[in-house]
Amino acid sequence: MTELLLNHLGGRWVAGQGAGSPLFDPVLGDELVRVDATGLDLRAGFAFARDTGGAALRSLTYRQRAALLAAAVKVLQAHRADYEAIATANSGTVKSDSSVDIDGGIYTLSTYARMGEGLGDHRHLADGDAVRLAKDALFQGRHVLVPSRGLALFINAFNFPSWGLWEKAAPALLSGVPVVVKPATATAWLTQRMVRDVVDAGVLPPGALSVVCGSGAGLMDALEPFDVVSFTGSADTAALIRSHAAVTQRSVRVNIEADSVNGALLLPGEAPGGEAFDLLAREVAREMTQKSGQKCTAIRRVFVPEACYASAAEAIGARLARTPVGNPRNETVRMGALVSRAQLDSVRQGLARLKQQAETLHDGATHALVDADPARACCVGPTLLGTRSADGSDASGLVHDVEVFGPVATLVPYRDAAHAMALVARGQGSLVASVFGSDPRALADASIELAALHGRVHVVSPDVAAMHTGHGNVMPQSVHGGPGRAGGGEELGGLRALNFYHRRAAVQASTAVLDHLGRAGDRT
Amino acid sequence: MTELLLNHLGGRWVAGQGAGSPLFDPVLGDELVRVDATGLDLRAGFAFARDTGGAALRSLTYRQRAALLAAAVKVLQAHRADYEAIATANSGTVKSDSSVDIDGGIYTLSTYARMGEGLGDHRHLADGDAVRLAKDALFQGRHVLVPSRGLALFINAFNFPSWGLWEKAAPALLSGVPVVVKPATATAWLTQRMVRDVVDAGVLPPGALSVVCGSGAGLMDALEPFDVVSFTGSADTAALIRSHAAVTQRSVRVNIEADSVNGALLLPGEAPGGEAFDLLAREVAREMTQKSGQKCTAIRRVFVPEACYASAAEAIGARLARTPVGNPRNETVRMGALVSRAQLDSVRQGLARLKQQAETLHDGATHALVDADPARACCVGPTLLGTRSADGSDASGLVHDVEVFGPVATLVPYRDAAHAMALVARGQGSLVASVFGSDPRALADASIELAALHGRVHVVSPDVAAMHTGHGNVMPQSVHGGPGRAGGGEELGGLRALNFYHRRAAVQASTAVLDHLGRAGDRT
């Protein structure tokens, strides 16, 4: 029997009472560890988090909590080699992809440690200036943000076991709100290990950080009115969470980051072989293959002028053809595995659905796996599809609806700018769009139009070719989330992320009272 | 047959196909008008609002839209006498209470007209400064707020047919988002008339403002991903709205303002007969009787030091005894009717429930009705209850759970500051708390503690006795809404209200591109 990972709840390490669910190596097929949450006293554990962890965190100032984050960063950096080994084994990712998750998480945590220090020794935040409420200037109103008096439950996705934890935990802990994380089972190991290291190092107050591995049953039932829940994953599970009585009846605040069908857009007038064209081809190939396309932000639809369709297919396909796929332990491999057999099946099914509509421009099946047994390894080569008829409402609209969560994208030609925007809008709201071009004004105009449908617009022009941060890379300074199908949530965005973990209130009073509220930290 | 009010949908006035539901005079019992929404083509009407009304509004700048609000203000002011007549007949309110609704709505609209003008000739808003995303300063990110490309559906409560419309419509229209309002049937007349006057005056683009009177069936079904819905009313209906597929599956953004059990708190150390004590007694009596206690923000629980219990009962009771109740057409009357027989029954039932726990300190039944037939008029006298045992979990906790939506409040004595805060917190989150005292530091400390549980904290000290804006009065400059039981929503708060009707997006680009985004309006 493999090791049964412990849960951390109620300030102690506790084993589930069941047999446990196994986690596997998606390349070799070996069982690695087991997780189980059967029989945990979730209500008592959550109460401990709120009453002990929350009270301890709220007694600190923002600057002191920022110091806790900085201490956690040091702990994580000291154990980085362990995390890379776990990622290789459990996520099947090549080193650079493991780094996106591990170092991305640590970078985000350190960014909030730095920003938090700037908030100073205060326990609430100012929100705007005081405004006069009466003719006499003595009676005024101002707004404050105070930490929520509940816990933050994170129900996370399998693709970012490190970053997915820390990008949420950093603003929560900085806000004084204790965290309970429920990682996706397939890759729960890395999350559990990071929590274990930080908890065991004693850098956080007891109850500030808990982890429950395995089934999520009962977690939502244990939430109370001042708790918040942040979910990353499928639209179906998102709907279940939103429908739960904790949300509908107890007003538990929800943040959802669901799947989306993100697009990349080459502006009208850009020519095959031009700089913007080449930047698009490079970025699409990179986004399709990084983490085997298992990123919520990855490019799924590629919109190009009709005249560029064939050349774009060729340029992207040529880059994909040069991407060796297989065992991440082999140094020639640039794209590892999908995380599980379930995901492999899901990608194959999605691909089959899209092929009802689309032609195959580059076939992933042509990639021989390096150092991996095709019968065992959850590896697939990258596939570029294409369709000239993406306007219809039935099968021809599939490309806008079906997110294949793997190394798959579809090339879609458009007639003119209006047609391009109409096609993008068929995605019903996405996390991110990237736009490629060389005319600053045209790029700016497109950005504002895309902003209504996306949480982030990433603009690539030749002048920033060497420095832009990437379509799918989520910077802690920028908001992450998107409207409509993408779930309507909002994470990160610098100190904007703290809003979710605070309650805003207006205080209407004599200026003699308002003066005593103290100089609170300002978010701007 | 009384007049059947028309709905305005799809840019035209249209009658429901059913017999209609009658609206009554709650004092005289007469049928006034009828409303009906049977057979309306909601999908087509909503599409017209989005595609025609929304597009027209979005083509304008903030300054131009602010001018539309100012024009609507002039229309409403010109017809003010009609509105007062409708309020008297349909809401049974005295003139000063009708004014809270009518003039409160017009004032809020004019406040947004003024604030909107300051946003200038822009079509999107800046959100914070640009931040560097790479070592090279050429690549940066900034955030923008762009108008939501959907409509705003308002499902409103019976107690504020005017203010409830305009406090939501003002920020929506200013944001470039078309409005569909579904007023509560009992008092839909005033809402419908105001929409009629503004639409017929032609000051808004076609499709910008619609009204559906009668049943709300099908409204939620017609919502699409970029629409928003704002609901004011009961927690039960709120749960239904939150559970609807439009919200759970299509990410329609929701704002809920549900009932709450707001408190007023006299700080420890304040003595009977002192200035703060007198201010509390005055404010409680005013809040209990204004609009017959039919305000979401009204004081329901009154917390005083144990030593003040008897004297507070006496002081508040004496003020209540001096409040003539009855027909609002009689000039000696200071408190009119409840809006309907259903509300009368509900208040009587709620009062009976609370009396399981509480003693009666001032009995509303002692008030003889002025100029009104007790068998016909929906009038009740104000009742002050009291309980010395509000700590328990069964019947003794009723005072924290049962909101009687009428002229009823309960006096609760506390032992010390910690006990007071624990009792307040039993409300599970409220719209507003008021706190009365004379020590600025103690008032400031209490405000921050109360801020975690309330959307607004109203502080009354002797220096602002003559100018404070009132516990239950919602100022457009301050946020309105509250956590937990209060629904977790947020309205108003000056330009903060515009957030709900905008989408925030990060734009990551070369500074050459960001420069072309233009100097957008700034909310701060």
Side-chain angles (χ1 to χ4, degrees):
Chain A
M1 294 271 275
T2 53
E3 178 190 356
L4 180 68
L5 301 183
L6 299 183
N7 305 287
H8 190 68
L9 193 67
R12 60 200 186 85
W13 291 99
V14 52
Q17 301 301 305
S21 304
L23 277 59
F24 296 97
D25 183 315
V27 177
L28 307 178
D30 302 335
E31 180 175 325
L32 299 169
V33 291
R34 289 172 302 126
V35 295
D36 190 70
T38 313
L40 297 185
D41 188 344
L42 296 175
R43 280 181 195 279
F46 280 22
F48 182 84
R50 281 182 212 107
D51 301 340
T52 303
L57 288 171
R58 287 198 305 272
S59 75
L60 303 176
T61 67
Y62 292 94
R63 190 198 303 275
Q64 289 170 323
R65 294 194 291 257
L68 300 186
L69 302 190
V73 166
K74 285 192 179 167
V75 172
L76 296 172
Q77 284 169 333
H79 294 84
R80 196 197 172 285
D82 295 346
Y83 307 146
E84 186 170 288
I86 291 174
T88 303
N90 192 196
S91 290
T93 36
V94 297
K95 283 189 179 185
S96 60
D97 287 352
S98 300
S99 170
V100 170
D101 184 31
I102 296 166
D103 297 315
I106 296 173
Y107 170 70
T108 302
L109 193 56
S110 66
T111 300
Y112 278 90
R114 184 167 42 74
M115 287 190 298
E117 199 187 348
L119 293 176
D121 283 318
H122 304 285
R123 290 184 182 82
H124 70 268
L125 299 172
D127 182 65
D129 297 325
V131 290
R132 194 184 287 204
L133 293 177
K135 277 178 189 153
D136 191 318
L138 188 63
F139 192 72
Q140 302 209 4
R142 53 177 281 196
H143 290 77
V144 295
L145 292 163
V146 297
S148 285
R149 290 194 190 172
L151 60 79
L153 171 65
F154 302 150
I155 302 178
N156 278 359
F158 62 78
N159 54 339
F160 282 104
S162 163
W163 178 81
L165 165 60
W166 298 116
E167 64 108 4
K168 295 180 182 179
L173 294 170
L174 180 57
S175 299
V177 174
V179 165
V180 178
V181 60
K182 209 300 279 183
T185 296
T187 59
W189 194 9
L190 179 54
T191 305
Q192 193 269 358
R193 176 64 67 89
M194 289 180 134
V195 171
R196 193 185 93 179
D197 290 339
V198 170
V199 166
D200 288 355
V203 296
L204 295 178
L209 183 58
S210 306
V211 60
V212 175
C213 301
S215 165
L219 290 170
M220 291 294 297
D221 301 325
L223 292 180
E224 296 187 354
F226 291 83
D227 297 334
V228 303
V229 58
S230 185
F231 169 74
T232 304
S234 74
D236 290 344
T237 307
L240 288 178
I241 287 173
R242 281 211 180 98
S243 307
H244 193 279
V247 177
T248 61
Q249 292 174 25
R250 301 199 286 277
S251 298
V252 163
R253 204 181 264 179
V254 187
N255 192 82
I256 301 282
E257 199 256 86
D259 53 0
S260 76
V261 192
N262 313 293
L265 171 63
L266 182 65
L267 283 191
E270 299 295 338
E275 282 186 285
F277 177 96
D278 287 345
L279 286 166
L280 172 95
R282 189 203 298 176
E283 192 66 6
V284 169
R286 199 170 71 93
E287 282 293 311
M288 287 177 67
T289 55
Q290 190 176 59
K291 288 181 70 66
S292 301
Q294 296 169 111
K295 297 192 302 184
C296 305
T297 54
I299 296 170
R300 309 294 177 195
R301 301 179 294 160
V302 185
F303 302 98
V304 296
E306 280 178 341
C308 295
Y309 182 71
S311 47
E314 190 178 354
I316 298 166
R319 288 179 176 272
L320 297 177
R322 294 198 298 268
T323 305
V325 180
N327 190 330
R329 295 163 187 88
N330 183 307
E331 292 199 349
T332 66
V333 166
R334 284 180 43 210
M335 187 172 100
L338 299 170
V339 297
S340 66
R341 192 141 289 274
Q343 280 309 114
L344 180 65
D345 292 343
S346 170
V347 166
R348 284 176 175 160
Q349 285 167 17
L351 205 46
R353 283 193 72 194
L354 286 184
K355 284 183 178 176
Q356 294 171 23
Q357 172 187 7
E359 60 180 327
T360 302
L361 301 173
H362 175 85
D363 190 348
T366 61
H367 288 252
L369 300 190
V370 179
D371 247 6
D373 176 0
R376 185 176 286 262
C378 304
C379 294
V380 287
T383 293
L384 181 69
L385 304 174
T387 176
R388 292 173 186 273
S389 58
D391 282 322
S393 60
D394 47 4
S396 60
L398 278 178
V399 61
H400 309 297
D401 294 331
V402 178
E403 183 197 37
V404 181
F405 208 72
V408 179
T410 304
L411 192 63
V412 180
Y414 65 81
R415 292 186 299 275
D416 53 30
H419 187 217
M421 286 299 172
L423 289 167
V424 171
R426 290 286 301 270
Q428 296 279 306
S430 300
L431 293 170
V432 53
S434 52
V435 52
F436 298 77
S438 46
D439 174 14
R441 171 159 292 281
L443 287 165
D445 290 346
S447 297
I448 290 299
E449 197 156 354
L450 292 167
L453 304 167
H454 300 84
R456 180 162 58 87
V457 181
H458 184 75
V459 183
V460 182
S461 47
D463 55 334
V464 297
M467 71 187 76
H468 80 88
T469 51
H471 165 108
N473 190 25
V474 178
M475 303 295 289
Q477 296 84 355
S478 299
V479 294
H480 173 56
R485 172 171 177 157
E490 198 172 88
E491 299 166 11
L492 298 170
L495 291 173
R496 291 175 188 83
L498 274 59
N499 287 348
F500 185 65
Y501 303 100
H502 282 74
R503 298 284 168 180
R504 180 185 280 125
V507 180
Q508 302 178 162
S510 161
T511 53
V513 174
L514 295 180
D515 288 347
H516 277 283
L517 288 184
R519 278 189 55 259
D522 198 323
R523 288 169 309 138
T524 55
Chain B
M1 293 271 275
T2 55
E3 179 190 355
L4 179 67
L5 301 183
L6 299 182
N7 306 285
H8 190 68
L9 193 68
R12 59 200 187 85
W13 291 99
V14 52
Q17 300 300 306
S21 305
L23 277 60
F24 295 97
D25 182 317
V27 177
L28 307 178
D30 303 335
E31 181 177 323
L32 301 169
V33 291
R34 289 171 303 126
V35 296
D36 190 70
T38 311
L40 298 185
D41 187 344
L42 296 175
R43 281 183 197 280
F46 280 23
F48 182 83
R50 281 182 211 106
D51 301 340
T52 302
L57 288 171
R58 288 198 304 272
S59 74
L60 304 176
T61 67
Y62 292 94
R63 191 197 303 274
Q64 290 171 321
R65 294 193 291 256
L68 300 187
L69 302 190
V73 165
K74 285 192 179 169
V75 172
L76 297 172
Q77 282 169 335
H79 294 83
R80 195 196 174 285
D82 295 345
Y83 308 146
E84 186 171 286
I86 292 175
T88 303
N90 192 196
S91 290
T93 37
V94 298
K95 284 190 178 184
S96 61
D97 287 353
S98 300
S99 170
V100 170
D101 184 31
I102 296 166
D103 297 315
I106 296 173
Y107 170 70
T108 301
L109 193 55
S110 65
T111 300
Y112 277 91
R114 186 169 39 76
M115 288 190 299
E117 199 187 348
L119 293 176
D121 282 318
H122 305 285
R123 290 183 183 81
H124 69 269
L125 298 172
D127 182 64
D129 298 325
V131 290
R132 194 184 286 203
L133 292 176
K135 276 177 189 155
D136 192 317
L138 188 63
F139 192 73
Q140 302 209 4
R142 55 176 280 196
H143 290 78
V144 294
L145 292 163
V146 297
S148 285
R149 290 195 191 172
L151 61 78
L153 171 64
F154 302 150
I155 302 177
N156 278 0
F158 62 78
N159 55 338
F160 283 104
S162 163
W163 178 82
L165 165 60
W166 298 116
E167 65 107 4
K168 295 179 181 178
L173 295 171
L174 180 57
S175 299
V177 174
V179 166
V180 179
V181 61
K182 210 301 280 181
T185 296
T187 59
W189 194 9
L190 180 54
T191 305
Q192 194 269 359
R193 176 64 67 90
M194 288 180 133
V195 171
R196 194 185 89 179
D197 289 339
V198 170
V199 166
D200 288 354
V203 297
L204 296 178
L209 182 59
S210 307
V211 61
V212 176
C213 301
S215 164
L219 290 171
M220 292 293 299
D221 301 325
L223 293 180
E224 296 188 354
F226 291 84
D227 297 333
V228 304
V229 58
S230 185
F231 169 74
T232 305
S234 75
D236 290 344
T237 307
L240 288 178
I241 287 172
R242 280 211 180 98
S243 306
H244 193 280
V247 177
T248 61
Q249 292 174 25
R250 302 198 286 276
S251 298
V252 164
R253 206 181 261 180
V254 186
N255 192 82
I256 301 283
E257 200 255 86
D259 53 0
S260 77
V261 192
N262 312 293
L265 170 63
L266 182 65
L267 284 191
E270 300 296 338
E275 282 185 286
F277 176 95
D278 287 344
L279 286 166
L280 171 95
R282 186 202 303 176
E283 191 67 7
V284 169
R286 200 170 71 94
E287 283 294 311
M288 286 177 67
T289 55
Q290 190 176 60
K291 284 180 72 66
S292 302
Q294 297 170 108
K295 296 191 304 183
C296 305
T297 53
I299 295 169
R300 309 296 179 194
R301 300 178 295 159
V302 185
F303 303 98
V304 296
E306 279 177 341
C308 294
Y309 181 71
S311 46
E314 191 178 352
I316 298 166
R319 287 178 175 273
L320 297 177
R322 294 198 297 268
T323 305
V325 180
N327 190 329
R329 295 164 186 87
N330 183 309
E331 292 200 350
T332 67
V333 166
R334 284 178 45 207
M335 189 172 100
L338 298 170
V339 296
S340 66
R341 192 140 290 273
Q343 281 308 114
L344 180 66
D345 292 344
S346 169
V347 166
R348 284 176 175 159
Q349 284 167 18
L351 204 47
R353 283 193 72 192
L354 287 184
K355 283 183 177 176
Q356 294 171 21
Q357 171 188 7
E359 59 180 327
T360 302
L361 300 174
H362 175 85
D363 191 347
T366 62
H367 289 251
L369 300 189
V370 179
D371 246 5
D373 175 1
R376 187 177 284 262
C378 303
C379 294
V380 287
T383 293
L384 181 69
L385 303 174
T387 176
R388 293 172 185 273
S389 58
D391 282 322
S393 59
D394 47 5
S396 60
L398 278 179
V399 61
H400 309 297
D401 294 331
V402 178
E403 183 198 38
V404 181
F405 208 71
V408 179
T410 305
L411 192 63
V412 181
Y414 65 80
R415 292 187 299 274
D416 52 31
H419 188 216
M421 286 298 173
L423 288 168
V424 171
R426 289 287 300 272
Q428 296 277 305
S430 300
L431 293 169
V432 52
S434 52
V435 51
F436 298 78
S438 45
D439 175 15
R441 171 159 291 285
L443 286 165
D445 291 347
S447 297
I448 290 299
E449 198 157 352
L450 292 167
L453 303 166
H454 300 83
R456 181 164 57 89
V457 181
H458 184 76
V459 183
V460 182
S461 46
D463 54 335
V464 296
M467 72 187 76
H468 80 88
T469 50
H471 165 107
N473 190 24
V474 178
M475 302 295 289
Q477 297 84 355
S478 300
V479 294
H480 173 56
R485 171 170 176 157
E490 197 172 89
E491 299 165 12
L492 298 172
L495 291 173
R496 290 174 188 84
L498 273 59
N499 287 348
F500 185 65
Y501 303 100
H502 282 74
R503 298 285 167 180
R504 180 185 278 125
V507 180
Q508 303 178 160
S510 161
T511 52
V513 174
L514 295 181
D515 288 348
H516 277 283
L517 288 185
R519 276 188 59 258
D522 198 324
R523 289 169 310 138
T524 56

